[in-house]
């Protein structure tokens, strides 16, 4: 589960996108990554408290439902599914772009091959997904550790042929924050979305043997991983390479390795970036299918999508999650080179909306659990409710910053539009659709529906039904 958290969050946004952040904020990009990392970590801690204390099975979708009612659960579930369905498409196109440097085939054909390969991996079993994601993550971890070691020695003047320390790059070109602190906050808006994916561990918890312990351990360890993989990497980059270097338009990791003199640095990093893209694609496909499966449990998606094979894999949910990807393949054929940017812009700030809902849900459910069953709080959100309010305020500040900065405004409104569409869809379903089935949210052997009534308040938990194990994991029907 720890490796899945890494796999979901360490992608092309770090290996390539960090260059634009450094050019925006200068060496103070270190603070941008630290601030965004702190917000993400605290949000994850708030989510972890709910997962361990109230293992409802559907992660944040169920917690939004328990805290604010079925409209909130429906909306955040479908918006989250849409984000990862689009991400499947975007990463397929991105992977095809990288492979296209080595193989002379049309981009749409390569995107189709990449998409099919990851679909097969997810269809076999959840074990194959987990092992594939672990392998991808290990490659990324090894690359970053090697990068930190080599780049750090070079920056300190301890690498053979380095010519002396380059640490002064932190302040000698216009100062530590050459474009001002507003630019640092603006860069934080961009950085926040690079951390998307860490929340996948709470989705995967339902299919692990010991979800509470696994989530607690993974969340506890995420802080130092964020510090090591993101903040420390940016420290090395801005020490080795001047922040205003036009070379940073490429991958900062490649530029550092070439500066140090590592042979074949560009090719090595291209392979690592491809692995990072495949890792995020793999995680996105898994997450979109499990969120859709959760929506079927709540009666918020057609029950036919609930079907699983004998290995517990929700085949129909996985295949539906790839539909946007196949549509992107067709679009890439019709409009080559224009699809990736459009897809990324279309999901805009959905992750920010998700984090806001997580913190708001934890404020409500955290208070209920502390009042009704405080013994279940084995993983606590620190300084509750004050630190949760601080985190929520920080996320709202990012939301306001996106509205104020012209370059982020379009992405923000695209995400707000997705939320509005989901809310309208709920109203249509409520008025015209069938009454949702009554499903068990409790976890067999750990927490049943009656206990959840005690934890989160009478009437909050649906009665018993059929069609799922009730623990958020997938089981053969």
């Amino acid at each position: 589960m720890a490796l899945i958290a890494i796999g979901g969050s360490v992608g092309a946004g770090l290996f390539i996108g960090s260059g634009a952040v450094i050019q925006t904020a200068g060496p103070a990009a270190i603070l941008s990554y630290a601030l965004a990392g702190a917000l993400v970590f605290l949000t994850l801690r708030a989510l972890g408290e709910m997962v361990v204390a109230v293992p409802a099975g559907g992660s944040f979708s169920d917690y939004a439902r328990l805290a604010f009612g079925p409209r909130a659960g429906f909306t955040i579930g479908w918006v989250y599914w849409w984000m990862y369905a689009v991400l499947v498409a975007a990463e397929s196109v991105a992977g095809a772009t990288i492979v296209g440097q080595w193989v002379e085939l049309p981009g749409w054909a390569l995107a189709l091959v990449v998409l099919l390969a990851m679909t097969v991996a997810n269809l076999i079993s959840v074990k194959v997904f987990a092992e594939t994601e672990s392998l991808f993550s290990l490659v990324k971890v090894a690359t970053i550790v090697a990068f930190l070691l080599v780049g750090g020695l070079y920056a300190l003047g301890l690498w053979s042929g380095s010519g002396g320390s380059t640490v002064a790059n932190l302040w000698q070109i216009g100062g530590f924050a050459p474009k001002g602190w507003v630019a640092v906050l603006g860069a934080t808006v961009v950085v926040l979305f690079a951390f998307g994916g860490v929340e996948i561990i709470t989705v995967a918890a339902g299919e692990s043997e010991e979800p509470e312990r696994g989530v607690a351990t993974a969340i506890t360890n995420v802080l130092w991983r964020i510090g090591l993989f993101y903040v420390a990497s940016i420290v090395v980059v801005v020490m080795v390479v001047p922040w205003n270097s036009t070379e940073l338009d490429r991958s900062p990791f490649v530029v550092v390795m070439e500066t140090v003199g590592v042979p074949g640095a560009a090719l090595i990093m291209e392979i690592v970036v491809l692995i990072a893209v495949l890792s995020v694609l793999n995680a996105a496909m898994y997450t979109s299918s499990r969120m859709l499966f959760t929506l079927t449990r709540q009666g918020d998606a057609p029950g036919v999508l609930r079907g699983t094979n004998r290995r517990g894999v929700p085949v129909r949910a996985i295949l539906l999650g790839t539909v946007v990807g196949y549509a992107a393949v067709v679009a890439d054929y019709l409009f080559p080179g224009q699809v990736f940017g459009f897809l990324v812009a279309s999901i805009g700030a959905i992750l920010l909306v998700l984090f806001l809902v997580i913190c708001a849900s934890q404020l409500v459910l955290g208070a209920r659990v502390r009042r009704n069953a405080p013994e279940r709080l084995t993983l606590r959100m620190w300084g509750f409710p004050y630190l949760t309010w601080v985190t929520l305020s920080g996320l709202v500040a990012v939301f306001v910053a996106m509205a104020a900065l012209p370059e982020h405004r379009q992405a923000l409104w695209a995400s707000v539009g997705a939320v509005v569409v989901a809310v309208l869809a709920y109203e249509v379903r409520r008025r015209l659709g069938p009454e949702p089935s009554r499903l068990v949210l409790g976890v067999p052997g750990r927490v049943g529906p009656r206990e959840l009534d005690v934890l989160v308040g009478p009437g909050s938990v649906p009665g018993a039904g059929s069609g799922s194990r009730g623990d958020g994991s997938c089981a053969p029907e």
Side-chain angles (χ1 to χ4, degrees):
M1 289 182 64
L3 287 171
I4 287 172
I6 296 170
S9 60
V10 177
L14 174 62
F15 292 118
I16 297 177
S18 54
V21 176
I22 292 170
Q23 290 176 329
T24 298
I30 298 167
L31 297 182
S32 298
Y33 275 89
L35 285 171
L39 285 175
V40 172
F41 175 71
L42 291 172
T43 302
L44 194 62
R45 181 78 183 196
L47 178 58
E49 178 187 282
M50 293 188 289
V51 170
V52 175
V54 190
S59 192
F60 35 83
S61 174
D62 277 342
Y63 299 125
R65 177 181 299 272
L66 292 170
F68 302 111
R71 181 181 288 104
F74 179 98
T75 301
I76 199 63
W78 274 109
V79 167
Y80 188 68
W81 175 85
W82 171 248
M83 180 180 75
Y84 273 101
V86 171
L87 198 57
V88 166
E91 297 299 330
S92 298
V93 174
T97 302
I98 298 170
V99 177
Q101 300 176 62
W102 312 321
V103 180
E104 300 231 352
L105 280 175
W108 66 268
L110 292 172
L112 182 61
V113 170
V114 170
L115 184 58
L116 287 173
M118 289 295 99
T119 301
V120 170
N122 273 264
L123 287 175
I124 295 173
S125 72
V126 68
K127 182 179 180 181
V128 171
F129 155 75
E131 291 179 348
T132 302
E133 192 64 16
S134 296
L135 177 61
F136 287 159
S137 297
L138 284 171
V139 172
K140 290 187 283 187
V141 169
T143 301
I144 293 173
V145 170
F147 171 82
L148 292 176
L149 179 62
V150 173
L153 289 175
Y154 183 90
L156 296 173
L158 302 177
W159 187 261
S160 176
S162 64
S165 171
T166 59
V167 174
N169 281 332
L170 285 171
W171 61 82
Q172 70 179 3
I173 307 174
F176 183 65
K179 294 189 176 182
W181 296 106
V182 173
V184 175
L185 294 176
T188 303
V189 173
V190 178
V191 172
L192 181 69
F193 301 103
F195 289 107
V198 292
E199 80 288 344
I200 290 174
I201 58 173
T202 61
V203 177
E207 293 183 86
S208 65
E209 292 183 2
E210 298 177 83
E212 292 95 333
R213 187 175 67 86
V215 168
T217 301
I219 289 174
T220 301
N221 292 333
V222 129
L223 180 59
W224 71 264
R225 291 190 178 94
I226 286 176
L228 175 64
F229 298 145
Y230 278 91
V231 180
S233 294
I234 302 305
V235 170
V236 169
V237 171
V238 296
M239 285 196 302
V240 174
V241 183
W243 68 267
N244 58 351
S245 171
T246 56
E247 290 292 301
L248 290 175
D249 290 334
R250 303 187 293 147
S251 167
F253 281 66
V254 172
V255 177
V256 169
M257 290 295 95
E258 288 179 343
T259 302
V260 172
V262 175
L267 178 60
I268 292 170
M269 286 310 305
E270 283 174 2
I271 294 172
V272 171
V273 171
L274 174 61
I275 290 173
V277 166
L278 293 178
S279 172
V280 174
L281 170 57
N282 192 37
M285 194 173 293
Y286 172 85
T287 305
S288 67
S289 64
R290 269 51 179 189
M291 180 53 67
L292 188 56
F293 188 85
T294 294
L295 289 168
T296 66
R297 292 171 51 241
Q298 302 294 3
D300 290 335
V304 67
L305 297 172
R306 201 183 305 154
T308 59
N309 62 20
R310 59 185 178 82
R311 294 181 299 276
V313 177
V315 175
R316 299 165 200 166
I318 289 175
L319 293 178
L320 183 61
T322 63
V323 166
V324 179
Y326 292 116
V329 170
V330 175
D332 198 43
Y333 172 75
L334 297 174
F335 311 102
Q338 302 178 40
V339 176
F340 182 78
F342 171 78
L343 289 171
V344 171
S346 70
I347 56 177
I350 288 178
L351 187 70
L352 178 58
V353 173
L354 169 69
F355 287 172
L356 286 166
V357 170
I358 288 172
C359 288
S361 299
Q362 195 265 335
L363 282 172
V364 175
L365 296 183
R368 292 180 190 170
V369 174
R370 281 166 174 78
R371 182 172 61 250
N372 299 328
E375 70 279 359
R376 291 204 58 83
L377 291 169
T378 57
L379 180 71
R380 288 176 175 265
M381 175 63 178
W382 304 297
F384 179 85
Y386 308 108
L387 194 52
T388 304
W389 276 113
V390 169
T391 307
L392 191 60
S393 300
L395 294 170
V396 170
V398 173
F399 192 93
V400 172
M402 289 192 73
L405 297 171
E407 63 270 26
H408 300 301
R409 207 171 288 152
Q410 181 180 0
L412 177 64
W413 299 138
S415 297
V416 171
V419 172
V420 170
V421 169
V423 171
L424 293 176
Y426 172 80
E427 295 302 327
V428 171
R429 173 201 160 280
R430 186 170 65 88
R431 287 174 169 78
L432 303 179
E435 187 71 18
S437 58
R438 308 285 283 175
L439 301 172
V440 178
L441 288 181
V443 181
R446 296 193 292 277
V447 178
R450 290 187 180 178
E451 286 182 84
L452 279 176
D453 261 351
V454 174
L455 291 175
V456 299
S460 300
V461 182
S466 61
S468 113
R469 275 168 42 182
D471 59 354
S473 60
C474 304
E477 293 184 329

